[in-house]
Structure formats: C-alpha cells, structure tokens
Amino acid sequence: MSFKIAYEFDDKNVFVRDSVIFPSFSHVTDDGKEFNDYDDAKKHQRELFPLEEVIDLEYLNDSEEVKEGEEGEMQAKTMLVEPPAMPEILTKEIFVLPENCTWTAAPNPSNNAVWDSKKQKWVNGSMPDMIPPTPSELELLKVEMESAKQDAVELREILLDIVTDNLE
C-alpha cells in the first residue's frame, strides 16, 4: 500500500510533526466517470459493455448419430456470448493534504523549522547549543573502579613474570 508523508506546522508556521497519509481511491470507468465505490463503477461499466450478447447460429447437424448416406439436418440455436474485450476499471489514488501541512520534507534536525509560504520551503530555526553531557558522580566512580581493577590485573601479571623468571 502506498503512502505519503505530510509535514505539519502550527499557526506560527513552526514545524510540529510529520504524519503518514494514506490515499483514498477513485475508480474510473471507460467513459471517464469516477466512482468512490468499486461496485458502482463495475455496475456502470457493465451498462456500457453488456456482458451478454444474443447470437443466432445455424449449423448442419452431421454427427455420428446420422446414418450413413443420409444428410444431416440444419439446426438453429441461440447463444449468449460475452463481449470479446471489456476494458478494465482504472483505480486512481488521491492523496488529500491536511490543513497546515506540506509535502515538502522538513529539515533534519528540524530545530523549530518555520514554513515560509512565499518561498514554499522550510527555513531552519536556530541551532541549539550543543553542551556535551557531563557524567554523574556514580559514573565517575565506576570508571575509577574499573581503572583500579585493570591496574591490579597488570600488576599481578608483572609479578607473575618476575616470579616465573626467577624460578627458571
């Protein structure tokens, strides 16, 4: 199923959010009329191209039942035949843009982007101050503990090297 993204702005033209828009469908018959309901379109299409056509056939009955030397008899038969080609009903997608929305993508990051209706584009707002996150005291303590553990492991390895060298 297809969809489009609409970008919504508020009364001050500031970007609010993006929304997924699904289409409504219109069904077009061969004569160009549009219907919201497929069954109505199909019914109208059948009126344009009747499904049954009456054909009178005359043929010579010379089947195996006719005795040898005798001629078959002419018979008439009426048949109902479908038209050879009935055009398909076309389906058209219609995307309705909600109020205070545009199809033009908002900048990323939006940073309070403003929709400029004269230029038909988004004007990016001011960039937020980028303050790096500071670790908490607990996080600093954990880092120090990990560092102390690593130092202890390295010290043990050095001592083990010294002891094994002296034993040899």
Side-chain angles (χ1 to χ4, degrees), residues 40-86:
D40 292 342
K42 192 173 183 179
K43 184 178 177 183
H44 181 74
Q45 188 85 329
R46 282 189 176 159
E47 290 171 2
L48 294 175
F49 300 92
L51 286 178
E52 297 177 346
E53 200 173 302
V54 177
I55 297 177
D56 292 325
L57 294 175
E58 286 188 26
Y59 61 96
L60 179 64
N61 183 9
D62 56 354
S63 67
E64 294 177 5
E65 295 176 9
V66 176
K67 294 181 182 175
E68 198 171 314
E70 292 181 15
E71 284 192 26
E73 57 186 65
M74 290 297 286
Q75 292 188 344
K77 191 174 190 180
T78 302
M79 293 179 62
L80 300 175
V81 180
E82 289 186 9
M86 185 165 90

Tab-separated table of all heavy atoms in Angstrom, residues 40-86:
chain	number	residue	atom	x	y	z
A	40	ASP	N	-20.110	0.182	-7.677
A	40	ASP	CA	-20.873	1.123	-8.515
A	40	ASP	C	-20.191	1.304	-9.870
A	40	ASP	O	-20.856	1.363	-10.912
A	40	ASP	CB	-21.000	2.482	-7.817
A	40	ASP	CG	-21.886	2.422	-6.583
A	40	ASP	OD1	-22.655	1.457	-6.444
A	40	ASP	OD2	-21.784	3.354	-5.747
A	41	ALA	N	-18.865	1.385	-9.849
A	41	ALA	CA	-18.110	1.536	-11.096
A	41	ALA	C	-18.280	0.297	-11.980
A	41	ALA	O	-18.454	0.404	-13.197
A	41	ALA	CB	-16.640	1.782	-10.799
A	42	LYS	N	-18.236	-0.869	-11.364
A	42	LYS	CA	-18.393	-2.117	-12.115
A	42	LYS	C	-19.786	-2.210	-12.736
A	42	LYS	O	-19.941	-2.621	-13.898
A	42	LYS	CB	-18.137	-3.294	-11.179
A	42	LYS	CG	-17.983	-4.608	-11.870
A	42	LYS	CD	-17.557	-5.669	-10.862
A	42	LYS	CE	-17.329	-6.992	-11.551
A	42	LYS	NZ	-16.902	-8.020	-10.606
A	43	LYS	N	-20.794	-1.804	-11.982
A	43	LYS	CA	-22.170	-1.815	-12.480
A	43	LYS	C	-22.310	-0.882	-13.682
A	43	LYS	O	-22.909	-1.238	-14.706
A	43	LYS	CB	-23.116	-1.392	-11.353
A	43	LYS	CG	-24.572	-1.446	-11.714
A	43	LYS	CD	-25.425	-1.059	-10.511
A	43	LYS	CE	-26.886	-1.033	-10.858
A	43	LYS	NZ	-27.710	-0.586	-9.731
A	44	HIS	N	-21.734	0.317	-13.588
A	44	HIS	CA	-21.787	1.279	-14.699
A	44	HIS	C	-21.027	0.752	-15.915
A	44	HIS	O	-21.481	0.908	-17.050
A	44	HIS	CB	-21.218	2.622	-14.249
A	44	HIS	CG	-21.256	3.669	-15.308
A	44	HIS	ND1	-22.429	4.292	-15.691
A	44	HIS	CD2	-20.283	4.193	-16.087
A	44	HIS	CE1	-22.170	5.160	-16.653
A	44	HIS	NE2	-20.867	5.116	-16.912
A	45	GLN	N	-19.884	0.108	-15.682
A	45	GLN	CA	-19.074	-0.434	-16.782
A	45	GLN	C	-19.861	-1.532	-17.520
A	45	GLN	O	-19.788	-1.624	-18.735
A	45	GLN	CB	-17.756	-0.990	-16.225
A	45	GLN	CG	-16.766	-1.405	-17.279
A	45	GLN	CD	-15.921	-0.262	-17.782
A	45	GLN	OE1	-16.352	0.893	-17.819
A	45	GLN	NE2	-14.703	-0.559	-18.165
A	46	ARG	N	-20.618	-2.331	-16.791
A	46	ARG	CA	-21.426	-3.380	-17.427
A	46	ARG	C	-22.538	-2.781	-18.279
A	46	ARG	O	-22.938	-3.369	-19.282
A	46	ARG	CB	-22.013	-4.314	-16.375
A	46	ARG	CG	-21.008	-5.294	-15.864
A	46	ARG	CD	-21.654	-6.333	-14.997
A	46	ARG	NE	-20.668	-7.309	-14.599
A	46	ARG	CZ	-20.783	-8.098	-13.566
A	46	ARG	NH1	-21.881	-8.040	-12.820
A	46	ARG	NH2	-19.851	-8.958	-13.266
A	47	GLU	N	-23.036	-1.618	-17.854
A	47	GLU	CA	-24.055	-0.944	-18.664
A	47	GLU	C	-23.450	-0.447	-19.975
A	47	GLU	O	-24.110	-0.451	-21.004
A	47	GLU	CB	-24.671	0.222	-17.893
A	47	GLU	CG	-25.547	-0.211	-16.746
A	47	GLU	CD	-25.991	0.947	-15.854
A	47	GLU	OE1	-25.644	2.123	-16.166
A	47	GLU	OE2	-26.664	0.682	-14.848
A	48	LEU	N	-22.182	-0.026	-19.920
A	48	LEU	CA	-21.505	0.429	-21.134
A	48	LEU	C	-21.208	-0.738	-22.071
A	48	LEU	O	-21.272	-0.610	-23.292
A	48	LEU	CB	-20.185	1.131	-20.778
A	48	LEU	CG	-20.283	2.440	-20.007
A	48	LEU	CD1	-18.894	2.926	-19.626
A	48	LEU	CD2	-21.008	3.489	-20.824
A	49	PHE	N	-20.826	-1.865	-21.492
A	49	PHE	CA	-20.479	-3.060	-22.250
A	49	PHE	C	-21.309	-4.228	-21.706
A	49	PHE	O	-20.868	-4.910	-20.782
A	49	PHE	CB	-18.987	-3.386	-22.107
A	49	PHE	CG	-18.104	-2.295	-22.585
A	49	PHE	CD1	-17.647	-1.324	-21.702
A	49	PHE	CD2	-17.722	-2.214	-23.907
A	49	PHE	CE1	-16.817	-0.310	-22.136
A	49	PHE	CE2	-16.905	-1.208	-24.353
A	49	PHE	CZ	-16.451	-0.241	-23.472
A	50	PRO	N	-22.500	-4.444	-22.246
A	50	PRO	CA	-23.339	-5.531	-21.726
A	50	PRO	C	-22.584	-6.859	-21.770
A	50	PRO	O	-21.883	-7.153	-22.728
A	50	PRO	CB	-24.537	-5.550	-22.673
A	50	PRO	CG	-24.516	-4.246	-23.375
A	50	PRO	CD	-23.106	-3.763	-23.376
A	51	LEU	N	-22.739	-7.620	-20.710
A	51	LEU	CA	-21.994	-8.870	-20.618
A	51	LEU	C	-22.502	-9.946	-21.565
A	51	LEU	O	-21.762	-10.830	-21.943
A	51	LEU	CB	-22.051	-9.402	-19.181
A	51	LEU	CG	-21.202	-8.658	-18.180
A	51	LEU	CD1	-21.384	-9.251	-16.798
A	51	LEU	CD2	-19.750	-8.718	-18.576
A	52	GLU	N	-23.765	-9.881	-21.937
A	52	GLU	CA	-24.301	-10.939	-22.781
A	52	GLU	C	-24.786	-10.364	-24.100
A	52	GLU	O	-25.423	-9.324	-24.158
A	52	GLU	CB	-25.425	-11.667	-22.062
A	52	GLU	CG	-24.940	-12.351	-20.804
A	52	GLU	CD	-26.057	-13.021	-20.044
A	52	GLU	OE1	-27.232	-12.747	-20.340
A	52	GLU	OE2	-25.737	-13.808	-19.162
A	53	GLU	N	-24.499	-11.106	-25.148
A	53	GLU	CA	-24.912	-10.721	-26.482
A	53	GLU	C	-25.627	-11.934	-27.079
A	53	GLU	O	-25.147	-13.064	-26.951
A	53	GLU	CB	-23.655	-10.366	-27.286
A	53	GLU	CG	-23.907	-9.517	-28.483
A	53	GLU	CD	-22.573	-9.108	-29.091
A	53	GLU	OE1	-21.762	-8.492	-28.401
A	53	GLU	OE2	-22.378	-9.447	-30.266
A	54	VAL	N	-26.750	-11.730	-27.718
A	54	VAL	CA	-27.513	-12.842	-28.288
A	54	VAL	C	-27.038	-13.072	-29.716
A	54	VAL	O	-26.992	-12.156	-30.528
A	54	VAL	CB	-29.026	-12.531	-28.275
A	54	VAL	CG1	-29.807	-13.653	-28.929
A	54	VAL	CG2	-29.495	-12.283	-26.856
A	55	ILE	N	-26.681	-14.330	-30.007
A	55	ILE	CA	-26.243	-14.695	-31.357
A	55	ILE	C	-27.076	-15.900	-31.793
A	55	ILE	O	-27.188	-16.894	-31.068
A	55	ILE	CB	-24.741	-15.063	-31.376
A	55	ILE	CG1	-23.909	-13.857	-30.983
A	55	ILE	CG2	-24.333	-15.581	-32.738
A	55	ILE	CD1	-22.435	-14.138	-30.915
A	56	ASP	N	-27.662	-15.794	-32.981
A	56	ASP	CA	-28.412	-16.928	-33.557
A	56	ASP	C	-27.460	-17.675	-34.487
A	56	ASP	O	-26.871	-17.089	-35.397
A	56	ASP	CB	-29.630	-16.434	-34.345
A	56	ASP	CG	-30.686	-15.827	-33.426
A	56	ASP	OD1	-30.821	-16.345	-32.299
A	56	ASP	OD2	-31.331	-14.839	-33.820
A	57	LEU	N	-27.296	-18.958	-34.235
A	57	LEU	CA	-26.417	-19.795	-35.055
A	57	LEU	C	-27.239	-20.834	-35.808
A	57	LEU	O	-28.156	-21.434	-35.264
A	57	LEU	CB	-25.403	-20.528	-34.163
A	57	LEU	CG	-24.377	-19.698	-33.430
A	57	LEU	CD1	-23.555	-20.595	-32.526
A	57	LEU	CD2	-23.472	-18.991	-34.408
A	58	GLU	N	-26.892	-21.020	-37.051
A	58	GLU	CA	-27.470	-22.111	-37.826
A	58	GLU	C	-26.314	-23.011	-38.221
A	58	GLU	O	-25.265	-22.548	-38.652
A	58	GLU	CB	-28.162	-21.582	-39.087
A	58	GLU	CG	-29.470	-20.911	-38.800
A	58	GLU	CD	-30.232	-20.578	-40.081
A	58	GLU	OE1	-30.021	-21.267	-41.105
A	58	GLU	OE2	-31.020	-19.633	-40.041
A	59	TYR	N	-26.527	-24.312	-38.021
A	59	TYR	CA	-25.446	-25.235	-38.351
A	59	TYR	C	-26.040	-26.548	-38.842
A	59	TYR	O	-27.185	-26.879	-38.591
A	59	TYR	CB	-24.538	-25.453	-37.143
A	59	TYR	CG	-25.218	-26.050	-35.935
A	59	TYR	CD1	-25.180	-27.413	-35.698
A	59	TYR	CD2	-25.902	-25.232	-35.031
A	59	TYR	CE1	-25.816	-27.959	-34.591
A	59	TYR	CE2	-26.524	-25.765	-33.930
A	59	TYR	CZ	-26.481	-27.137	-33.712
A	59	TYR	OH	-27.104	-27.675	-32.614
A	60	LEU	N	-25.183	-27.292	-39.531
A	60	LEU	CA	-25.576	-28.569	-40.090
A	60	LEU	C	-25.247	-29.646	-39.073
A	60	LEU	O	-24.109	-29.768	-38.630
A	60	LEU	CB	-24.811	-28.816	-41.396
A	60	LEU	CG	-25.093	-30.125	-42.113
A	60	LEU	CD1	-26.548	-30.184	-42.575
A	60	LEU	CD2	-24.163	-30.288	-43.292
A	61	ASN	N	-26.252	-30.404	-38.675
A	61	ASN	CA	-26.048	-31.475	-37.704
A	61	ASN	C	-25.652	-32.730	-38.476
A	61	ASN	O	-26.480	-33.424	-39.043
A	61	ASN	CB	-27.327	-31.708	-36.898
A	61	ASN	CG	-27.121	-32.766	-35.827
A	61	ASN	OD1	-26.007	-33.205	-35.584
A	61	ASN	ND2	-28.211	-33.164	-35.200
A	62	ASP	N	-24.355	-33.013	-38.518
A	62	ASP	CA	-23.895	-34.231	-39.199
A	62	ASP	C	-23.027	-35.037	-38.238
A	62	ASP	O	-21.918	-35.424	-38.530
A	62	ASP	CB	-23.158	-33.906	-40.494
A	62	ASP	CG	-21.991	-32.979	-40.265
A	62	ASP	OD1	-21.829	-32.506	-39.115
A	62	ASP	OD2	-21.221	-32.733	-41.199
A	63	SER	N	-23.597	-35.286	-37.090
A	63	SER	CA	-22.859	-36.021	-36.070
A	63	SER	C	-22.866	-37.506	-36.376
A	63	SER	O	-23.416	-37.960	-37.375
A	63	SER	CB	-23.457	-35.752	-34.687
A	63	SER	OG	-24.756	-36.305	-34.633
A	64	GLU	N	-22.317	-38.299	-35.479
A	64	GLU	CA	-22.227	-39.750	-35.675
A	64	GLU	C	-23.590	-40.419	-35.628
A	64	GLU	O	-23.762	-41.542	-36.098
A	64	GLU	CB	-21.324	-40.347	-34.585
A	64	GLU	CG	-19.901	-39.908	-34.703
A	64	GLU	CD	-19.027	-40.458	-33.570
A	64	GLU	OE1	-19.524	-41.251	-32.749
A	64	GLU	OE2	-17.859	-40.073	-33.522
A	65	GLU	N	-24.562	-39.734	-35.061
A	65	GLU	CA	-25.896	-40.322	-34.950
A	65	GLU	C	-26.626	-40.374	-36.296
A	65	GLU	O	-27.579	-41.124	-36.474
A	65	GLU	CB	-26.732	-39.543	-33.935
A	65	GLU	CG	-26.178	-39.635	-32.531
A	65	GLU	CD	-26.970	-38.778	-31.547
A	65	GLU	OE1	-28.045	-38.251	-31.910
A	65	GLU	OE2	-26.509	-38.653	-30.409
A	66	VAL	N	-26.208	-39.553	-37.254
A	66	VAL	CA	-26.847	-39.540	-38.573
A	66	VAL	C	-26.366	-40.787	-39.318
A	66	VAL	O	-25.171	-41.077	-39.355
A	66	VAL	CB	-26.483	-38.254	-39.341
A	66	VAL	CG1	-27.071	-38.284	-40.742
A	66	VAL	CG2	-26.951	-37.042	-38.576
A	67	LYS	N	-27.301	-41.518	-39.897
A	67	LYS	CA	-26.955	-42.751	-40.602
A	67	LYS	C	-26.176	-42.431	-41.859
A	67	LYS	O	-26.339	-41.376	-42.465
A	67	LYS	CB	-28.212	-43.537	-40.962
A	67	LYS	CG	-28.943	-44.047	-39.747
A	67	LYS	CD	-30.151	-44.835	-40.152
A	67	LYS	CE	-30.880	-45.300	-38.903
A	67	LYS	NZ	-32.125	-45.981	-39.219
A	68	GLU	N	-25.360	-43.398	-42.251
A	68	GLU	CA	-24.514	-43.218	-43.423
A	68	GLU	C	-25.395	-43.108	-44.658
A	68	GLU	O	-26.359	-43.835	-44.828
A	68	GLU	CB	-23.568	-44.417	-43.547
A	68	GLU	CG	-22.394	-44.130	-44.427
A	68	GLU	CD	-21.375	-45.247	-44.368
A	68	GLU	OE1	-21.054	-45.712	-43.267
A	68	GLU	OE2	-20.907	-45.619	-45.435
A	69	GLY	N	-25.008	-42.161	-45.505
A	69	GLY	CA	-25.754	-41.959	-46.737
A	69	GLY	C	-26.842	-40.922	-46.594
A	69	GLY	O	-27.359	-40.419	-47.576
A	70	GLU	N	-27.230	-40.584	-45.362
A	70	GLU	CA	-28.238	-39.554	-45.156
A	70	GLU	C	-27.547	-38.234	-44.850
A	70	GLU	O	-26.457	-38.207	-44.304
A	70	GLU	CB	-29.147	-39.923	-43.969
A	70	GLU	CG	-30.025	-41.115	-44.210
A	70	GLU	CD	-30.917	-41.399	-43.006
A	70	GLU	OE1	-31.050	-40.513	-42.125
A	70	GLU	OE2	-31.465	-42.482	-42.951
A	71	GLU	N	-28.200	-37.182	-45.209
A	71	GLU	CA	-27.640	-35.870	-44.903
A	71	GLU	C	-28.152	-35.414	-43.551
A	71	GLU	O	-29.262	-35.734	-43.148
A	71	GLU	CB	-28.043	-34.847	-45.973
A	71	GLU	CG	-27.283	-34.993	-47.256
A	71	GLU	CD	-27.501	-33.800	-48.157
A	71	GLU	OE1	-27.796	-32.699	-47.652
A	71	GLU	OE2	-27.394	-33.976	-49.356
A	72	GLY	N	-27.296	-34.657	-42.849
A	72	GLY	CA	-27.726	-34.093	-41.575
A	72	GLY	C	-28.727	-32.982	-41.809
A	72	GLY	O	-28.895	-32.493	-42.917
A	73	GLU	N	-29.381	-32.588	-40.764
A	73	GLU	CA	-30.385	-31.545	-40.917
A	73	GLU	C	-29.859	-30.220	-40.363
A	73	GLU	O	-28.978	-30.191	-39.512
A	73	GLU	CB	-31.681	-31.942	-40.208
A	73	GLU	CG	-31.479	-32.226	-38.742
A	73	GLU	CD	-32.730	-32.757	-38.088
A	73	GLU	OE1	-33.170	-33.863	-38.438
A	73	GLU	OE2	-33.265	-32.055	-37.216
A	74	MET	N	-30.364	-29.126	-40.873
A	74	MET	CA	-29.978	-27.801	-40.411
A	74	MET	C	-30.687	-27.527	-39.098
A	74	MET	O	-31.880	-27.791	-38.957
A	74	MET	CB	-30.364	-26.721	-41.438
A	74	MET	CG	-29.551	-26.751	-42.710
A	74	MET	SD	-27.809	-26.415	-42.440
A	74	MET	CE	-27.818	-24.694	-42.132
A	75	GLN	N	-29.918	-27.009	-38.126
A	75	GLN	CA	-30.498	-26.667	-36.838
A	75	GLN	C	-30.148	-25.225	-36.495
A	75	GLN	O	-29.111	-24.723	-36.897
A	75	GLN	CB	-29.971	-27.601	-35.748
A	75	GLN	CG	-30.452	-29.017	-35.895
A	75	GLN	CD	-30.061	-29.873	-34.693
A	75	GLN	OE1	-29.211	-29.503	-33.914
A	75	GLN	NE2	-30.713	-31.015	-34.573
A	76	ALA	N	-31.001	-24.591	-35.736
A	76	ALA	CA	-30.777	-23.209	-35.300
A	76	ALA	C	-30.658	-23.206	-33.779
A	76	ALA	O	-31.353	-23.956	-33.092
A	76	ALA	CB	-31.913	-22.309	-35.739
A	77	LYS	N	-29.762	-22.382	-33.307
A	77	LYS	CA	-29.548	-22.329	-31.861
A	77	LYS	C	-29.238	-20.878	-31.476
A	77	LYS	O	-28.558	-20.168	-32.195
A	77	LYS	CB	-28.374	-23.233	-31.489
A	77	LYS	CG	-28.206	-23.476	-30.028
A	77	LYS	CD	-27.092	-24.503	-29.817
A	77	LYS	CE	-27.059	-24.953	-28.393
A	77	LYS	NZ	-25.998	-25.941	-28.155
A	78	THR	N	-29.741	-20.451	-30.334
A	78	THR	CA	-29.467	-19.108	-29.829
A	78	THR	C	-28.481	-19.230	-28.673
A	78	THR	O	-28.687	-20.037	-27.761
A	78	THR	CB	-30.756	-18.435	-29.339
A	78	THR	OG1	-31.679	-18.394	-30.417
A	78	THR	CG2	-30.481	-17.034	-28.856
A	79	MET	N	-27.401	-18.433	-28.733
A	79	MET	CA	-26.370	-18.484	-27.684
A	79	MET	C	-26.165	-17.097	-27.085
A	79	MET	O	-26.320	-16.086	-27.763
A	79	MET	CB	-25.030	-18.970	-28.268
A	79	MET	CG	-25.041	-20.391	-28.735
A	79	MET	SD	-23.466	-20.892	-29.442
A	79	MET	CE	-22.370	-20.706	-28.070
A	80	LEU	N	-25.797	-17.089	-25.804
A	80	LEU	CA	-25.431	-15.841	-25.137
A	80	LEU	C	-23.903	-15.811	-25.039
A	80	LEU	O	-23.282	-16.728	-24.513
A	80	LEU	CB	-26.056	-15.776	-23.744
A	80	LEU	CG	-27.578	-15.831	-23.705
A	80	LEU	CD1	-28.064	-15.887	-22.258
A	80	LEU	CD2	-28.166	-14.618	-24.393
A	81	VAL	N	-23.306	-14.752	-25.566
A	81	VAL	CA	-21.844	-14.658	-25.634
A	81	VAL	C	-21.385	-13.379	-24.940
A	81	VAL	O	-22.007	-12.320	-25.087
A	81	VAL	CB	-21.374	-14.653	-27.106
A	81	VAL	CG1	-19.873	-14.564	-27.200
A	81	VAL	CG2	-21.883	-15.882	-27.829
A	82	GLU	N	-20.284	-13.488	-24.206
A	82	GLU	CA	-19.696	-12.300	-23.584
A	82	GLU	C	-18.953	-11.498	-24.638
A	82	GLU	O	-18.433	-12.065	-25.605
A	82	GLU	CB	-18.710	-12.702	-22.482
A	82	GLU	CG	-19.385	-13.280	-21.268
A	82	GLU	CD	-18.398	-13.526	-20.134
A	82	GLU	OE1	-17.238	-13.101	-20.240
A	82	GLU	OE2	-18.817	-14.135	-19.155
A	83	PRO	N	-18.879	-10.180	-24.486
A	83	PRO	CA	-18.113	-9.392	-25.453
A	83	PRO	C	-16.635	-9.793	-25.390
A	83	PRO	O	-16.153	-10.211	-24.339
A	83	PRO	CB	-18.317	-7.945	-24.995
A	83	PRO	CG	-18.756	-8.035	-23.585
A	83	PRO	CD	-19.436	-9.353	-23.436
A	84	PRO	N	-15.914	-9.665	-26.496
A	84	PRO	CA	-14.527	-10.142	-26.530
A	84	PRO	C	-13.586	-9.396	-25.576
A	84	PRO	O	-12.708	-10.001	-24.993
A	84	PRO	CB	-14.101	-9.942	-27.976
A	84	PRO	CG	-15.065	-8.958	-28.537
A	84	PRO	CD	-16.324	-9.096	-27.766
A	85	ALA	N	-13.786	-8.123	-25.418
A	85	ALA	CA	-12.861	-7.371	-24.549
A	85	ALA	C	-13.606	-6.251	-23.841
A	85	ALA	O	-14.059	-5.300	-24.472
A	85	ALA	CB	-11.722	-6.780	-25.376
A	86	MET	N	-13.730	-6.390	-22.520
A	86	MET	CA	-14.328	-5.320	-21.728
A	86	MET	C	-13.189	-4.609	-21.016
A	86	MET	O	-12.400	-5.255	-20.323
A	86	MET	CB	-15.321	-5.881	-20.709
A	86	MET	CG	-16.046	-4.779	-19.970
A	86	MET	SD	-17.484	-5.375	-19.099
A	86	MET	CE	-16.766	-5.784	-17.541
